[in-house]
């Protein structure tokens, strides 16, 4: 083996130690495409774009004519109900789509792309809402929906909570208005409170979570004088180049190692390489380690799965903390999405692991947009006294905007009240019990649905092989549940859900599932498995590719 390594090293023109490091890096990557960013990006260029015609749309799994007719009738009846309920919102969405590329993107990627054109033509939903109250949102047609979107993670405490935070913040800042550069007095109090929450020494304010992560990585590189960052397979840290190296980014990865989450081989890479500035951790990955964020656009079969082991993930974070300390690598917790959902002190408090830098966003702004970096004093320093031209510049025109800072101050003050503290008491146990009730009810009703959760963030998986699981999001909407554009991949509950709210949500899920089942979407061909579905899709794609 040693002789072979020497021969290979000579053949490719690298030293044996360098080859050994490359092999170790390769072993630390997840074997799936999600762990190989360059390969995934290359493959994405070869996947052919094609769309099912009407006949194939309803029968791509070989369903008999009787089931096809069930599906067709159910589909157009569902489309009619949705149109009848929300004509103004749907019309407004159609009109706005041409000028809003975000709407075109999210509309196209709600379902697997083969189904998307026919579905967008015949089954439409509105994107405009005008009010929120309790656990519901109201669209422009006056329809109320139980809100499971989470507003991309903002809505932890409930929208009424944030509306009052924004109002209080506006009153606090109104005499100063939009004065920038100087700070409103509440900023000083925000810094004190954030230092206490994070357990760190210094704070900087930014305009978004993505920007906060960018600054944290810049600071790590500046102070370690190293270039590479480590992110873990499937984790999301914003949309900028270095942290989104696979499909979705026009540029290939340059200075990013995407490693396997919760794996000894990744720790070995961290222990042996000398070019790593920082490790980025998104604790939400504990719900689906080494997998991309779940969305219904990837529901090609029923193999989606999730599961949360708090003890195992805590041990992993402790190991990361250990090796980063040993090697002088900056450990960054990205809590932009999850921060303050698990505990009042965030994920650091919840898992009992102290990071070197931590980023916050979303809910911390009290309902207004913000990004925050908290860190150790030496890491947060942006210049060197002994080298005055060597700086790490980072400013933004709207950093520490008075109205945002006011809403943040109100949020931070409320976080310390007995009423909010009570929300966090036995939080995991409460949501785990609700998940168990959900799963038991689905089994009792004979529906192929199961939920996995990390506290109040849920993912639905499907227990029967099917090509049509993504249809459920539209039946759920028909029964008054609002989901984000990723569909059933994420149910994000606000913490103001009481037992009555949850029972209402559960009953709507049951009725939606039963209706979908009656309409024939979960019919299963004899011998159909997830494997046979994938093989059929591969043949289909290869046929389209060669045709092209």
């Amino acid at each position: 083996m040693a002789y072979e390594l020497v021969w290979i090293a000579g053949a490719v023109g690298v030293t044996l130690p360098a080859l050994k490091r490359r092999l170790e890096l390769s072993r630390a990557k997840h074997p799936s495409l999600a762990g190989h960013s360059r390969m995934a990006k290359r493959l994405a260029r070869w996947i052919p774009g094609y769309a099912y015609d009407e006949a194939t749309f309803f029968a791509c799994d070989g369903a008999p004519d009787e089931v096809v007719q069930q599906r067709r009738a159910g589909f157009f009846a569902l489309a009619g109900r949705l149109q009848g309920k929300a004509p103004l919102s749907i019309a407004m969405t159609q009109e706005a789509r041409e000028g809003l590329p975000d709407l075109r993107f999210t509309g196209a990627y709600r379902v697997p792309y083969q189904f998307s054109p026919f579905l967008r033509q015949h089954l439409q939903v509105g994107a405009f809402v005008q009010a929120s109250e309790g656990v519901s949102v109201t669209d422009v047609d006056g329809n109320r929906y139980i809100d499971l979107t989470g507003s991309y993670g903002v809505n932890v405490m409930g929208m009424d909570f944030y509306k009052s935070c924004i109002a209080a913040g506006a009153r606090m800042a109104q005499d100063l208005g939009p004065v920038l550069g100087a700070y409103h007095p509440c900023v000083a109090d925000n810094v004190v409170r954030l230092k206490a929450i994070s357990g760190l020494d210094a704070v900087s304010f930014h305009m978004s979570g993505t920007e906060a992560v960018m600054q944290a990585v810049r600071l790590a590189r500046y102070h370690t004088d190293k270039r590479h960052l480590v992110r873990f397979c499937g984790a999301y840290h914003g949309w900028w180049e270095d942290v989104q190296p696979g499909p979705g980014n026009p540029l290939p990865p340059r200075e990013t190692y995407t490693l396997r989450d919760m794996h000894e081989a990744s720790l070995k890479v961290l222990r042996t390489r000398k070019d790593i500035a920082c490790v980025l951790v998104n604790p939400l990955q504990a719900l689906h380690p080494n997998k991309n964020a779940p969305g219904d656009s990837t529901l090609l079969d029923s193999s989606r799965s999730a599961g949360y082991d708090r003890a195992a993930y805590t041990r992993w974070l402790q190991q990361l903390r250990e090796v980063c300390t040993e090697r002088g690598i900056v450990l960054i917790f990205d809590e932009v999405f999850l921060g303050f959902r698990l505990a009042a002190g965030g994920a650091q408090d919840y898992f009992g692991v102290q990071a070197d830098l931590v980023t916050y966003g979303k809910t911390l702004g009290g309902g207004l947009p913000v990004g925050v970096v908290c860190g150790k004093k030496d890491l947060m320093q942006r210049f060197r006294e002994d080298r005055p031209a060597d700086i790490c510049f980072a400013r933004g025109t709207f950093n520490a905007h008075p109205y945002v800072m006011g809403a943040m101050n109100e949020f931070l003050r409320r976080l310390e009240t007995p009423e909010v503290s009570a929300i966090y008491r036995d939080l995991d146990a409460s949501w785990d019990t609700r998940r168990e009730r959900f799963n038991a009810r689905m089994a009792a009703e004979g529906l192929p649905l199961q939920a996995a959760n990390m506290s109040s963030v849920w993912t639905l998986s499907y227990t029967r092989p099917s090509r049509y699981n993504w249809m459920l999001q539209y039946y759920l909407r028909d029964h008054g549940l609002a989901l984000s554009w990723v569909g059933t991949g994420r149910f994000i509950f606000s913490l103001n859900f009481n037992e009555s709210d949850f029972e209402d949500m559960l009953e709507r899920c049951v009725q939606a599932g039963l209706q979908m089942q009656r309409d024939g979407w979960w019919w299963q061909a004899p011998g159909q498995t997830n494997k046979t579905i994938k093989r059929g899709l591969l043949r289909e794609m290869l046929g389209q590719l060669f045709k092209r």
Side-chain angles (χ1 to χ4, degrees):
M1 180 66 177
Y3 173 79
E4 289 172 353
L5 284 174
V6 171
W7 186 87
I8 294 169
V12 298
V14 298
T15 64
L16 193 60
L19 180 62
K20 182 173 180 289
R21 286 195 299 273
R22 285 189 188 182
L23 289 172
E24 287 173 348
L25 184 62
S26 181
R27 290 193 190 103
K29 294 178 179 180
H30 196 266
S32 70
L33 281 174
H36 291 78
S37 302
R38 288 181 184 273
M39 194 181 300
K41 192 162 184 60
R42 291 189 190 108
L43 183 63
R45 295 172 183 161
W46 285 94
I47 293 176
Y50 61 97
Y52 291 149
D53 59 18
E54 180 170 346
T56 310
F57 183 95
F58 293 107
C60 69
D61 57 353
D65 187 63
E66 178 187 353
V67 173
V68 169
Q69 294 311 317
Q70 265 184 290
R71 290 173 177 175
R72 181 178 278 108
F75 178 87
F76 286 108
L78 173 62
R81 291 195 300 272
L82 292 175
Q83 177 66 44
K85 289 175 183 175
L88 295 178
S89 182
I90 290 173
M92 193 178 294
T93 303
Q94 289 174 325
E95 186 178 345
R97 184 173 284 117
E98 287 308 306
L100 276 174
D102 281 357
L103 271 181
R104 294 201 299 275
F105 177 80
T106 56
Y109 283 88
R110 287 179 182 272
V111 304
Y113 70 85
Q114 299 95 332
F115 298 96
S116 184
F118 183 85
L119 184 116
R120 279 179 282 151
Q121 182 182 355
H122 296 286
L123 195 160
Q124 296 163 357
V125 293
F128 288 89
V129 292
Q130 62 183 347
S132 63
E133 183 181 11
V135 299
S136 71
V137 293
T138 303
D139 69 12
V140 294
D141 295 276
N143 300 300
R144 293 184 65 160
Y145 300 88
I146 295 177
D147 184 23
L148 300 178
T149 69
S151 292
Y152 292 109
V154 172
N155 189 13
V156 174
M157 302 295 178
M159 282 305 182
D160 295 326
F161 178 97
Y162 295 100
K163 287 194 286 186
S164 60
C165 282
I166 292 169
R171 289 192 297 271
M172 191 183 301
Q174 65 185 359
D175 290 341
L176 183 59
V179 173
L180 302 174
Y183 295 113
H184 188 281
C186 72
V187 173
D189 187 54
N190 289 347
V191 169
V192 170
R193 293 174 187 274
L194 285 167
K195 285 166 61 177
I197 285 170
S198 66
L200 295 163
D201 309 317
V203 179
S204 65
F205 298 106
H206 305 275
M207 292 175 284
S208 69
T210 287
E211 190 181 273
V213 174
M214 291 172 72
Q215 172 64 352
V217 171
R218 278 166 62 91
L219 288 168
R221 286 171 166 163
Y222 176 66
H223 288 289
T224 63
D225 201 27
K226 298 170 184 176
R227 295 186 307 170
H228 283 80
L229 68 90
V230 164
R231 66 186 283 277
F232 292 105
C233 183
Y236 182 74
H237 298 284
W239 50 263
W240 62 288
E241 294 168 14
D242 281 24
V243 297
Q244 192 189 31
N249 193 317
L251 296 177
R254 294 174 297 175
E255 296 169 341
T256 302
Y257 297 138
T258 297
L259 303 186
R260 198 184 310 200
D261 218 354
M262 302 179 73
H263 201 277
E264 180 61 37
S266 298
L267 297 176
K268 187 171 185 179
V269 167
L270 294 174
R271 287 194 180 98
T272 54
R273 296 192 73 96
K274 298 178 180 179
D275 56 352
I276 297 172
C278 59
V279 171
L280 267 174
V281 174
N282 182 342
L284 183 59
Q285 285 304 110
L287 180 57
H288 40 78
N290 297 306
K291 295 174 185 173
N292 293 327
D296 283 4
S297 65
T298 58
L299 274 178
L300 303 175
D301 58 10
S302 297
S303 59
R304 183 168 75 192
S305 63
Y308 173 49
D309 185 333
R310 180 176 178 177
Y313 199 73
T314 299
R315 286 194 298 274
W316 167 245
L317 293 178
Q318 289 168 343
Q319 289 173 313
L320 283 178
R321 175 68 279 175
E322 233 174 80
V323 71
C324 286
T325 301
E326 289 170 10
R327 301 293 296 172
I329 298 169
V330 179
L331 179 61
I332 305 172
F333 271 24
D334 177 356
E335 298 195 38
V336 170
F337 181 89
L338 208 57
F340 308 102
R341 183 168 286 277
L342 302 177
Q348 290 188 112
D349 178 23
Y350 179 81
F351 290 107
V353 176
Q354 180 73 61
D356 300 310
L357 294 169
V358 59
T359 63
Y360 302 115
K362 309 291 187 191
T363 195
L364 180 57
L368 294 179
V370 75
V372 171
V373 181
C374 298
K376 294 180 177 179
K377 183 178 180 180
D378 57 338
L379 288 173
M380 295 291 281
Q381 186 79 352
R382 300 178 190 179
F383 64 94
R384 307 184 199 277
E385 295 280 7
D386 58 336
R387 288 182 285 177
D390 186 2
I391 62 174
C392 182
F393 187 81
R395 287 292 294 165
T397 306
F398 284 100
N399 289 359
H401 190 286
Y403 282 79
V404 177
M405 291 296 103
M408 180 188 293
N409 190 252
E410 182 69 14
F411 174 85
L412 289 170
R413 289 177 181 275
R414 292 188 185 194
L415 203 60
E416 297 178 0
T417 63
E419 294 80 10
V420 173
S421 296
I423 292 172
Y424 290 108
R425 200 172 300 129
D426 300 321
L427 191 63
D428 275 5
S430 172
W431 284 103
D432 288 351
T433 299
R434 287 173 173 177
R435 180 208 68 224
E436 289 167 6
R437 278 163 47 199
F438 180 95
N439 289 343
R441 182 73 188 279
M442 295 302 146
E445 298 287 350
L447 295 172
L449 299 171
Q450 290 285 280
N453 72 305
M454 183 179 185
S455 193
S456 56
V457 180
W458 289 26
T459 290
L460 287 196
S461 58
Y462 297 85
T463 60
R464 189 183 306 158
S466 174
R467 291 288 311 274
Y468 292 99
N469 294 318
W470 47 267
M471 274 296 298
L472 180 61
Q473 62 181 292
Y474 297 98
Y475 283 91
L476 291 172
R477 188 173 187 86
D478 184 38
H479 283 81
L481 299 181
L483 307 182
S484 74
W485 68 276
V486 301
T488 61
R490 289 260 169 85
F491 282 11
I492 306 174
F493 295 90
S494 51
L495 302 186
N496 62 327
F497 262 75
N498 58 35
E499 288 302 297
S500 175
D501 296 328
F502 183 80
E503 283 300 322
D504 188 6
M505 185 281 307
L506 177 55
E507 189 59 36
R508 291 170 190 247
C509 284
V510 168
Q511 295 309 316
L514 291 173
Q515 182 66 59
M516 181 168 165
Q517 188 152 270
R518 284 194 296 271
D519 287 346
W521 298 105
W522 279 320
W523 171 87
Q524 184 178 1
Q528 178 174 272
T529 65
N530 290 326
K531 185 178 285 187
T532 62
I533 289 174
K534 287 175 180 173
R535 284 176 179 167
L537 274 166
L538 181 60
R539 287 193 297 269
E540 188 179 282
M541 289 181 183
L542 288 173
Q544 292 291 330
L545 186 61
F546 288 124
K547 185 189 297 183
R548 187 174 69 180

